[in-house]
């Protein structure tokens, strides 16, 4: 009953409103705007086609709390030709700021987007000291809450990843052309450093395949690891030191965005290409070849395999194939049944033990199987005296350190964030850079080479139920026991089993499904991926990476220098303007050309934008002439997506305005953001647009300019 009364009352009021509108507005006119007006208990609105919608709510006239009463809505559609005027909003300039304030704000946005110091506000000096310790040493954050239950989970996960880290450490050291013992050294000291400084709870630290491959390939180009082993070892430790310095500097100076130039597409191609090279290199151990090329190119490796086929050992091949099948089978079991993750984790160490026992008993009958040999017992010896800071190979060490540092940093931060997202906690990228950098610096002083967070070991660590970084301490403790007491047991470990472990580990880095997704989603990303893949495969590892980064930068420059522009049309019954090609129901507004620019306007794209806008104007005029429509009078630039403009951009806007004025075409701007408005005002360009040259929305621009035309005789 109440609803009926309100409906009748509203209709009565509406009729009186329409009578008033008809007496004051020409009924033959058609407006291009939306206007709203509140009624008692409801709302009416007029759309672009002159249709009034009435919404009536069942609630008290003076009620301000809609949620307190039951709500009922009735919509009545009544065609009309008369419309109330649309309110035109003034486009304001941003609040005035000094140059120092602007610089401070800009630097804060660049280097401190997460505002890491917000926790220190309004705190006592003691609390600030405690927060500072927690900020730089995350162990003080979780340490006081640590308990026996967490320790139990970390012990299980730590021992599990140790069973994987020990054989992988030995294998990856050989991949870098380093003594196998260095791989174990690198699995002891760095995890201890990271457990104090790292913020990821699940990152398992140690040597990784890609960084090992890159270091081995770059250093081997200038120095032979067999002819000059001491110099090679010095360069490896020095490169590790520079890698750590570079990583820590990025974190300290908060320049982590530099590693973002290694896009995901680039890394997919790079890792796939590097994995293929690693697999081909491991054919040396898998086939039992003694003399093998040190080059990393596809054709060089294949040529070496074919030319030395006389050195192939059938005993080694049989053993290698058997353990490859075993390792791939266990990995497949763990993938299909995640609860059996420990099967794949224990498989490498199990393979080492079984193969070592077999070779021990068969060594007298089959001396053709190559073995690791003697490994020294004891803790990491200091290596500060082996750092190479003066000599002809210093530049090589620096270059190797920076490239391996970037790759290992990218992998470590990405892996840490991946598992943090699964457990709903945050990993500070800059803290991770400092932690990884400092652990590599310390590692270079203790006979370690480049280390970072390994995806395979971190996945095992996560699935094993790790709760904190104590799992890294447990893993390092297991490696310590191995270094002190178990090294003689590895004497008869065959090299073929290390090759099989590496092949199994790196084959998982060939993500062909991701490459297929790139092709479907973004062809330029796919091009960067393929350039990286084939560059690594056929040229060299560092040059392949450089080509991929170049393609990624070219993609960025392409988007900046050739921004997207489009013609907008109105969605019927709304004040929304969208791309005409995307929305078929969108309609052109007669005598208007509405263009949107979807990028900042900089010196690099001003010429293109000017030419493209003039082309849009020419094409629109040709279309109008062909279809005999209303003459083009106004061009509206929708600038919501133009987030910035420089002096070249302001000059272009001024010149474009003058050029269109000479052709009796009006140019207006819609919704320029604050920084753009400020630049236009400071450059005096805004003065050339006048009072009716800038609007808050496209709808307001269309409505105001249309009414101004109709007011003219």
């Amino acid at each position: 009953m109440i609803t009926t009364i309100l409906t009748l009352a509203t209709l009565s009021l509406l009729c009186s409103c329409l009578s008033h509108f008809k007496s004051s507005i020409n009924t033959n006119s058609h407006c291009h705007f939306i206007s709203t007006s509140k009624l008692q208990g409801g709302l009416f609105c007029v759309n672009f086609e002159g249709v009034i919608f009435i919404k009536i709510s069942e609630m008290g006239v003076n009620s301000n709390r809609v949620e307190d009463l039951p709500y009922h809505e009735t919509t009545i559609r009544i065609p009309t030709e008369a419309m109330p005027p649309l309110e035109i909003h003034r486009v304001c300039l941003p609040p005035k700021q000094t140059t120092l304030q602007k610089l401070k704000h800009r630097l804060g946005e660049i280097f401190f987007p997460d505002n890491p110091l917000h926790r220190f506000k309004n705190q006592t000096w003691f609390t600030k000291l405690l927060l500072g310790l927690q900020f730089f040493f995350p162990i003080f954050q979780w340490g006081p809450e640590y308990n026996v239950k967490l320790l139990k989970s970390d012990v299980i996960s730590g021992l599990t990843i140790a069973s994987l880290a020990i054989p992988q450490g030995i294998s990856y050291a050989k991949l870098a052309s380093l003594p196998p013992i260095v791989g174990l050294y690198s699995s002891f000291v760095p995890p201890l450093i990271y457990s104090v400084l790292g913020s990821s709870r699940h990152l398992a630290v140690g040597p990784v395949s890609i960084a090992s491959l890159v270091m081995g390939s770059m250093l081997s180009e200038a120095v032979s690891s067999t002819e000059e082993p001491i110099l090679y070892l010095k360069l490896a430790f020095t490169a590790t030191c520079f890698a750590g310095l570079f990583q820590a500097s990025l974190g300290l100076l908060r320049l982590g965005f530099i590693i973002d130039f290694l896009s995901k597409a680039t890394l997919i191609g790079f890792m796939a290409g590097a994995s293929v090279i690693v697999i081909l290199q491991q054919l040396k151990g898998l086939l039992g070849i003694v003399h093998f090329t040190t080059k990393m190119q596809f054709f060089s490796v294949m040529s070496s395999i074919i030319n030395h086929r006389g050195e192939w050992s059938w005993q080694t091949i049989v053993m290698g194939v058997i353990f490859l099948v075993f390792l791939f089978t266990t990995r497949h079991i763990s993938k299909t049944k995640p609860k059996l993750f420990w099967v794949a984790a224990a498989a490498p160490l199990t393979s080492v033990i079984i193969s070592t026992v077999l070779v021990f008993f068969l060594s007298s009958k089959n001396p053709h199987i190559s073995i690791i040999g003697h490994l020294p017992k004891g803790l990491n010896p200091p290596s500060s005296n082996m750092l190479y800071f003066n000599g002809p190979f210093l530049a090589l060490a620096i270059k190797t350190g920076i490239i391996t540092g970037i790759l290992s940093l990218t992998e470590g931060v990405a892996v840490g964030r991946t598992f943090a997202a699964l457990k709903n906690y945050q990993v500070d990228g800059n803290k991770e850079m400092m932690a990884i950098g400092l652990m590599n610096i310390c590692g270079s002083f203790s006979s370690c080479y480049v280390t970072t967070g390994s995806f395979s070991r971190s996945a095992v660590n996560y699935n094993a139920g790790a709760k904190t970084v104590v799992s890294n301490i447990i893993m390092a403790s297991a490696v310590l026991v191995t270094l002190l007491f178990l090294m003689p047991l590895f004497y008869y470990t065959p090299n073929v089993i290390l090759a099989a472990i590496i092949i199994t580990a790196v084959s998982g880095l060939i993500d062909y499904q991701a490459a297929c997704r790139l092709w479907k989603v973004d062809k330029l990303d796919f091009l960067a991926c393929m350039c990286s893949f084939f560059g690594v495969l056929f040229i060299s590892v560092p040059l392949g990476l450089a080509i991929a980064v170049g393609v990624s930068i070219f993609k960025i420059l392409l988007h900046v220098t050739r921004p997207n522009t489009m013609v907008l049309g109105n969605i019927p019954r709304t004040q929304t303007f969208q791309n005409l090609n995307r929305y078929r129901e969108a309609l052109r507004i007669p005598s208007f050309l509405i263009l949107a620019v979807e990028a900042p306007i900089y010196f690099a794209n001003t010429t293109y934008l000017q030419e493209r806008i003039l082309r849009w104007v020419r094409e629109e005029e040709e279309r109008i002439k062909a279809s005999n429509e209303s003459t083009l009078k106004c061009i509206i630039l929708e600038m919501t997506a133009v987030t910035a403009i420089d002096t070249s951009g302001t000059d272009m806007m001024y010149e474009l305005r003058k050029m269109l004025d000479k052709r009796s075409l009006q140019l207006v701007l819609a919704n320029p953001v604050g920084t753009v408005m400020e630049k236009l005002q400071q450059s005096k360009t805004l003065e050339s647009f006048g009072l009716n040259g800038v609007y808050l929305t496209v709808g307001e621009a269309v409505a105001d300019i249309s009414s101004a035309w109709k007011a003219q005789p």
Side-chain angles (χ1 to χ4, degrees):
M1 187 64 181
I2 296 174
T3 304
T4 306
I5 294 172
L6 286 174
T7 304
L8 294 174
T10 305
L11 287 175
S12 176
L13 179 59
L14 176 61
C15 290
S16 63
C17 290
L18 289 177
S19 299
H20 174 71
F21 293 152
K22 287 182 179 181
S23 63
S24 58
I25 298 178
N26 183 4
T27 57
N28 294 324
S29 64
H30 296 278
C31 300
H32 301 281
F33 54 82
I34 291 177
S35 179
T36 62
S37 175
K38 291 184 179 178
L39 297 175
Q40 292 182 351
L43 178 77
F44 80 83
C45 66
V46 183
N47 68 8
F48 278 86
E49 295 181 347
V51 177
I52 295 180
F53 288 89
I54 306 172
K55 291 185 180 179
I56 302 169
S57 306
E58 186 180 329
M59 58 185 178
V61 173
N62 298 321
S63 173
N64 292 320
R65 293 180 58 83
V66 180
E67 66 272 19
D68 290 342
L69 294 172
Y71 181 77
H72 176 73
E73 184 178 283
T74 303
T75 302
I76 303 174
R77 188 175 188 271
I78 304 176
T80 183
E81 295 180 353
M83 290 182 166
L86 177 67
E87 181 182 357
I88 306 300
H89 297 85
R90 180 172 174 268
V91 180
C92 302
L93 290 169
K96 288 187 177 181
Q97 289 183 316
T98 64
T99 303
L100 185 61
Q101 288 175 326
K102 293 177 184 177
L103 180 63
K104 180 181 177 182
H105 174 75
R106 189 60 183 158
L107 291 177
E109 290 297 315
I110 294 173
F111 297 107
F112 302 97
D114 55 342
N115 191 16
L117 303 180
H118 72 281
R119 296 190 303 164
F120 292 84
K121 292 181 180 179
N122 304 321
Q123 301 290 343
T124 63
W125 67 269
F126 179 77
T127 306
K128 288 181 179 179
L129 177 63
L130 184 61
L131 290 174
L133 286 173
Q134 292 177 352
F135 182 80
F136 289 105
F137 303 98
I139 192 172
F140 288 103
Q141 190 170 356
W142 55 264
E145 301 175 358
Y146 200 73
N147 54 46
V148 177
K149 184 179 179 181
L150 297 176
L151 178 62
K152 181 181 177 181
S153 300
D154 288 337
V155 167
I156 294 172
S157 57
L159 293 176
T160 305
I161 58 175
S163 66
L164 183 63
I166 292 171
Q168 280 191 351
I170 296 173
S171 304
Y172 291 158
K174 290 184 70 65
L175 182 59
S177 301
L178 293 168
I181 191 65
V182 175
L184 289 180
Y185 291 157
S186 303
S187 301
F188 172 55
V189 172
L192 295 177
I193 304 296
Y194 183 82
S195 63
V196 177
L197 301 174
S199 58
S200 172
R201 303 172 196 167
H202 301 96
L203 197 68
V205 173
V208 293
S209 58
I210 300 300
S212 302
L213 170 68
V214 172
M215 175 172 283
S217 64
M218 293 185 69
L219 295 181
S220 297
E221 290 178 357
V223 180
S224 172
S225 59
T226 54
E227 296 175 4
E228 299 177 282
I230 302 300
L231 177 59
Y232 188 90
L233 202 57
K234 287 182 177 181
L235 293 178
F237 294 153
T238 307
T240 302
C241 182
F242 281 113
L245 288 171
F246 179 72
Q247 293 166 335
S249 300
L250 289 182
L252 187 63
L253 300 175
R254 304 186 72 84
L255 297 174
F257 58 85
I258 291 177
I259 66 173
D260 292 336
F261 283 100
L262 281 177
S263 65
K264 185 176 181 181
T266 300
L267 288 175
I268 289 171
F270 175 79
M271 289 189 174
S275 299
V276 173
I277 292 294
V278 170
I279 291 171
L280 293 176
Q281 278 282 336
Q282 297 315 302
L283 292 179
K284 171 189 176 181
L286 203 64
L287 301 175
I289 299 174
V290 178
H291 303 91
F292 201 73
T293 181
T294 58
K295 296 181 180 180
M296 295 290 179
Q297 292 84 3
F298 176 82
F299 293 115
S300 299
V301 174
M302 293 304 298
S303 175
S304 182
I305 292 172
I306 296 171
N307 293 336
H308 296 94
R309 58 184 178 275
E311 299 180 5
W312 293 10
S313 168
W314 69 268
Q315 298 95 332
T316 304
I317 294 173
V318 170
M319 179 176 284
V321 170
I322 290 172
F323 281 103
L324 267 179
V325 172
F326 171 70
L327 291 169
F328 276 114
T329 302
T330 56
R331 195 177 74 170
H332 178 72
I333 291 172
S334 295
K335 276 188 175 182
T336 54
K337 298 181 179 180
K339 291 184 178 180
L340 299 177
F341 67 90
W342 53 269
V343 174
L349 186 59
T350 304
S351 301
V352 168
I353 294 172
I354 294 174
S355 62
T356 302
V357 172
L358 285 174
V359 172
F360 174 75
F361 286 109
L362 300 175
S363 57
S364 58
K365 298 179 181 179
N366 291 298
H368 301 288
I369 299 178
S370 173
I371 59 175
I372 292 179
H374 174 70
L375 294 178
K377 289 197 301 182
L379 295 176
N380 301 33
S383 57
S384 56
N385 59 329
M386 296 186 70
L387 296 180
Y388 185 94
F389 291 130
N390 187 23
F393 300 108
L394 179 60
L396 174 64
I398 294 174
K399 183 173 71 172
T400 304
I402 291 175
I403 293 178
T404 55
I406 291 175
L407 288 172
S408 59
L409 193 60
T410 303
E411 182 176 358
V413 173
V415 171
R417 285 175 174 167
T418 298
F419 291 104
L422 294 176
K423 285 295 184 179
N424 196 28
Y425 68 93
Q426 191 173 4
V427 168
D428 189 328
N430 290 290
K431 283 185 188 177
E432 288 297 286
M433 292 176 195
M434 288 191 287
I436 294 174
L438 289 173
M439 81 179 184
N440 278 318
I441 293 172
C442 295
S444 67
F445 290 98
S446 54
S447 301
C448 303
Y449 77 107
V450 174
T451 54
T452 187
S454 164
F455 185 82
S456 59
R457 287 193 293 274
S458 299
V460 171
N461 196 31
Y462 174 83
N463 290 324
K467 303 298 181 183
T468 67
V469 289
V470 171
S471 59
N472 277 286
I473 299 176
I474 302 300
M475 179 191 72
S477 302
V479 174
L480 173 63
V481 172
T482 304
L483 287 170
L484 292 177
F485 306 108
L486 304 180
M487 297 314 298
L489 300 179
F490 291 97
Y491 183 88
Y492 286 100
T493 300
N495 286 316
V496 64
I497 198 61
L498 302 182
I501 291 171
I502 292 175
I503 291 173
T504 308
V506 301
S507 62
L509 299 177
I510 304 175
D511 194 351
Y512 66 91
Q513 293 178 336
C516 293
R517 285 195 298 270
L518 291 177
W519 171 256
K520 292 179 181 178
V521 176
D522 193 323
K523 301 298 187 292
L524 277 177
D525 272 350
F526 181 78
L527 176 63
C529 176
M530 290 297 100
C531 287
S532 180
F533 177 76
F534 289 114
V536 170
L537 203 60
F538 296 113
I539 303 175
S540 70
V541 173
L543 280 179
L545 183 62
I547 291 171
V549 173
V551 173
S552 298
I553 294 175
F554 172 75
K555 180 185 175 183
I556 296 172
L557 293 176
L558 190 63
H559 285 303
V560 172
T561 58
R562 295 295 183 268
N564 191 29
T565 59
M566 65 186 72
V567 180
L568 304 183
N570 172 247
I571 304 295
R573 296 178 296 280
T574 73
Q575 241 189 1
T576 303
F577 291 80
Q578 287 292 344
N579 190 347
L580 285 171
N581 292 328
R582 182 180 174 192
Y583 293 89
R584 295 183 178 179
E585 66 271 26
L587 303 175
R588 295 177 184 271
I589 307 297
S591 300
F592 286 91
L593 174 60
I594 306 169
L595 299 175
V597 180
E598 294 187 331
I601 300 177
Y602 290 131
F603 64 93
N605 61 21
T606 52
T607 303
Y608 168 79
L609 282 174
Q610 182 174 335
E611 294 174 351
R612 192 67 185 89
I613 291 171
L614 292 175
R615 177 184 163 190
W616 280 120
V617 173
R618 186 184 73 250
E619 291 174 349
E620 181 68 8
E621 288 177 333
E622 292 173 355
R623 187 194 66 81
I624 289 173
K625 185 178 180 180
S627 58
N628 197 23
E629 296 181 6
S630 302
T631 307
L632 179 63
K633 298 179 182 179
C634 181
I635 293 91
I636 300 176
L637 282 186
E638 212 286 330
M639 300 184 67
T640 303
V642 181
T643 56
I645 192 170
D646 65 358
T647 53
S648 299
T650 58
D651 291 342
M652 184 274 290
M653 298 295 290
Y654 180 78
E655 292 296 327
L656 183 63
R657 170 85 178 188
K658 285 173 57 180
M659 294 171 67
L660 293 175
D661 275 345
K662 291 178 181 179
R663 299 168 61 175
S664 300
L665 295 173
Q666 183 181 2
L667 175 65
V668 299
L669 309 179
N671 195 29
V673 299
T675 54
V676 173
M677 277 289 292
E678 189 176 28
K679 294 284 182 66
L680 292 173
Q681 192 266 342
Q682 290 173 347
S683 65
K684 307 297 182 182
T685 303
L686 205 58
E687 295 177 2
S688 67
F689 282 84
L691 295 175
N692 297 325
V694 184
Y695 291 89
L696 188 62
T697 65
V698 173
E700 291 185 8
V702 171
D704 190 51
I705 296 170
S706 297
S707 40
W709 290 343
K710 289 165 187 173
Q712 295 175 359

